[in-house]
Amino acid sequence: MKIKKYIAASMPEAMKQVRAELGNNAVILQSKIIYTGGFLGMFKKRNIEVLAAIDPDLNTSRPPQEKPMPAPIPAPKLLPKVERNLDLEVMKELQKSPVPANEEIMKQLARMNQHIQKMSESGKLQMELPIQLQTVMDRLVRQDLDVDIQSRLTAKLLERWYLAGANSPVEEVYVWAEDFLYEEMKRYNFGELTLKKKFINVIGPTGVGKTTTLAKMAAEFMMKHQKKIGFITTDTYRIAAIDQLKTYATILNVPIEVCYNLEDFEKATKSLADCDIILVDTAGRNFRNQQYVQDLKEVVDYNSDMETLLVLSLTAKQTDMEEIYQQFSSIHIDHFIFTKLDETSTYGAMINLVVKYQKGVAYVTTGQNVPDDIMPADPRQIAKRMIEVD
């Protein structure tokens, strides 16, 4: 891609220079008003500065008598600045300019997207966008959406923006962003479990609400699916943990077994053989202690007909969530469960972890009430939460 700057007294004159030198397939990256000359800061002359680019492979309309193009300007480390508010003169002039075939437009946009991706490798996006796009992206930055996802989204929004005529309202851009986030997530398994596995095991650090979430799931399986449920708890580290699950077992009228080792787990499995679903509660301990995961393997038989869900709190930092995932990665994780949705207004970590680890979300929880305050995860609803206006 070749990039060149033009300065002229007016936009029509600048566009004339662009078309004469780069051809009709040139892309306008930036336009702004500048002031030059003058004396002691006064009597400066108003000019238009235009930054234009062209892919040499697409430029078939440049007059043959033109002098050879100068060497391409090295790609900057940061993304190019695109004028937030496109000048009306720019829009009028672009509308007058000959429009290349749709196939060529798509090729230009594809190459522009690749250019954006390459220049975002610095790990921080620094580019100005049309105000409608910038409003949406500012929202997603506040939601802590990963930079890599931001980069892909920016490219998609720019593509749709220019194909739509560069005049879409911000409400439409929000819809585009929601659709993009939904597409990013929908390829993974979301929503309530299929209940094809006999054992459902929840793992995670202390304080994320594993035991309460387990009770909510048990109530849903019983009332909605008419399943016979049994509990196994291996959480023998907390004094009140067993009593808490026993209380839920009493309320729900389901059997419960306590396990201290693999032998106990095998006995519990036989004791609960007539249950359709056995829900396994594990101890919540300091996730930074690698011995914790080894202890789990010494109590729970992960070779059983088991589905494992990693429970994470949305009030935690994403860096901590990623460290938790890494600590548990020696155990096959089927889905995420995100708790404490009601205690935060930042949801970016859900999408970030789903995309990074390619795992879907089974449930999200919104409080402590059993059997309420739990719902099957829906990628569309998560995307809506991300782009809701503050």
Side-chain angles (χ1 to χ4, degrees), residues 73-358:
I73 299 174
K77 294 183 179 179
L78 300 178
L79 289 170
K81 290 187 176 181
V82 180
E83 189 67 19
R84 286 175 182 262
N85 295 308
L86 293 179
D87 193 286
L88 289 177
E89 292 179 275
V90 180
M91 293 305 302
K92 291 177 182 177
E93 201 60 36
L94 287 174
Q95 290 171 0
K96 293 179 185 177
S97 301
V99 180
N102 289 339
E103 183 177 354
E104 291 187 352
I105 292 177
M106 295 308 297
K107 287 181 180 179
Q108 284 187 29
L109 289 171
R111 284 177 167 79
M112 184 186 295
N113 291 344
Q114 292 175 3
H115 195 53
I116 291 173
Q117 293 290 341
K118 290 179 181 177
M119 289 191 292
S120 67
E121 291 176 358
S122 62
K124 186 176 182 180
L125 291 179
Q126 293 183 4
M127 65 181 298
E128 294 187 18
L129 301 168
I131 188 63
Q132 292 89 333
L133 274 63
Q134 191 67 51
T135 299
V136 175
M137 293 307 302
D138 285 347
R139 162 72 185 179
L140 296 176
V141 169
R142 292 194 299 273
Q143 287 291 312
D144 293 336
L145 190 68
D146 271 353
V147 172
D148 287 344
I149 303 177
Q150 286 184 46
S151 176
R152 295 197 302 275
L153 174 57
T154 299
K156 288 292 184 183
L157 292 183
L158 280 170
E159 179 180 325
R160 295 193 67 169
W161 172 260
Y162 287 111
L163 287 177
N167 59 359
S168 299
V170 67
E171 293 80 8
E172 187 171 359
V173 181
Y174 270 117
V175 173
W176 299 345
E178 179 188 319
D179 289 342
F180 172 85
L181 296 175
Y182 170 72
E183 292 293 330
E184 286 284 293
M185 292 183 286
K186 77 170 188 177
R187 69 194 74 177
Y188 309 111
N189 292 326
F190 273 72
E192 58 186 345
L193 304 180
T194 60
L195 305 184
K196 294 181 179 179
K197 300 288 183 71
K198 188 177 183 69
F199 293 88
I200 296 175
N201 175 47
V202 294
I203 58 176
T206 184
V208 296
K210 294 190 302 299
T211 302
T212 304
T213 300
L214 204 71
K216 293 175 184 177
M217 292 167 59
E220 179 177 331
F221 298 160
M222 293 174 65
M223 293 185 292
K224 186 175 180 179
H225 301 284
Q226 290 77 49
K227 296 293 185 180
K228 186 175 181 180
I229 302 299
F231 283 143
I232 290 179
T233 179
T234 67
D235 190 356
T236 58
Y237 293 92
R238 290 188 301 135
I239 296 174
I242 296 176
D243 290 338
Q244 182 184 8
L245 193 58
K246 282 184 175 179
T247 299
Y248 287 134
T250 300
I251 294 172
L252 297 173
N253 193 28
V254 300
I256 181 172
E257 297 288 337
V258 180
C259 299
Y260 295 88
N261 50 47
L262 280 175
E263 185 179 350
D264 290 339
F265 189 87
E266 293 175 2
K267 291 179 180 178
T269 299
K270 294 177 182 178
S271 176
L272 301 173
D274 62 336
C275 294
D276 299 315
I277 302 292
I278 299 174
L279 296 166
V280 183
D281 190 21
T282 58
R285 296 166 64 190
N286 187 344
F287 65 87
R288 291 186 174 86
N289 186 348
Q290 294 183 348
Q291 185 59 38
Y292 170 32
V293 177
Q294 288 302 121
D295 291 345
L296 287 178
K297 293 180 179 180
E298 292 175 5
V299 181
V300 177
D301 182 7
Y302 285 97
N303 294 320
S304 302
D305 186 23
M306 181 175 292
E307 197 160 7
T308 299
L309 298 93
L310 176 60
V311 183
L312 298 171
S313 168
L314 285 173
T315 59
K317 295 183 295 186
Q318 183 175 323
T319 52
D320 287 342
M321 293 190 209
E322 292 181 1
E323 189 175 346
I324 291 166
Y325 183 92
Q326 294 301 329
Q327 288 284 48
F328 284 100
S329 60
S330 61
I331 298 172
H332 177 74
I333 298 170
D334 295 285
H335 303 278
F336 291 116
I337 293 178
F338 289 107
T339 63
K340 305 185 182 183
L341 187 72
D342 57 315
E343 297 182 25
T344 183
S345 59
T346 305
Y347 313 108
M350 282 193 285
I351 296 179
N352 298 340
L353 268 65
V354 165
V355 173
K356 182 170 184 175
Y357 298 115
Q358 301 181 3

Side-chain angles (χ1 to χ4, degrees), residues 8-46:
S10 65
M11 180 53 64
E13 184 178 336
M15 293 300 295
K16 184 178 180 181
Q17 293 180 32
V18 171
R19 285 197 295 268
E21 187 166 351
L22 300 185
N24 292 327
N25 291 327
V27 177
I28 303 301
L29 298 179
Q30 175 186 349
S31 69
K32 65 180 180 181
I33 297 172
I34 62 172
Y35 293 89
T36 59
F39 177 72
L40 296 178
M42 303 176 64
F43 310 111
K44 290 186 176 182
K45 184 179 179 181
R46 180 184 184 275

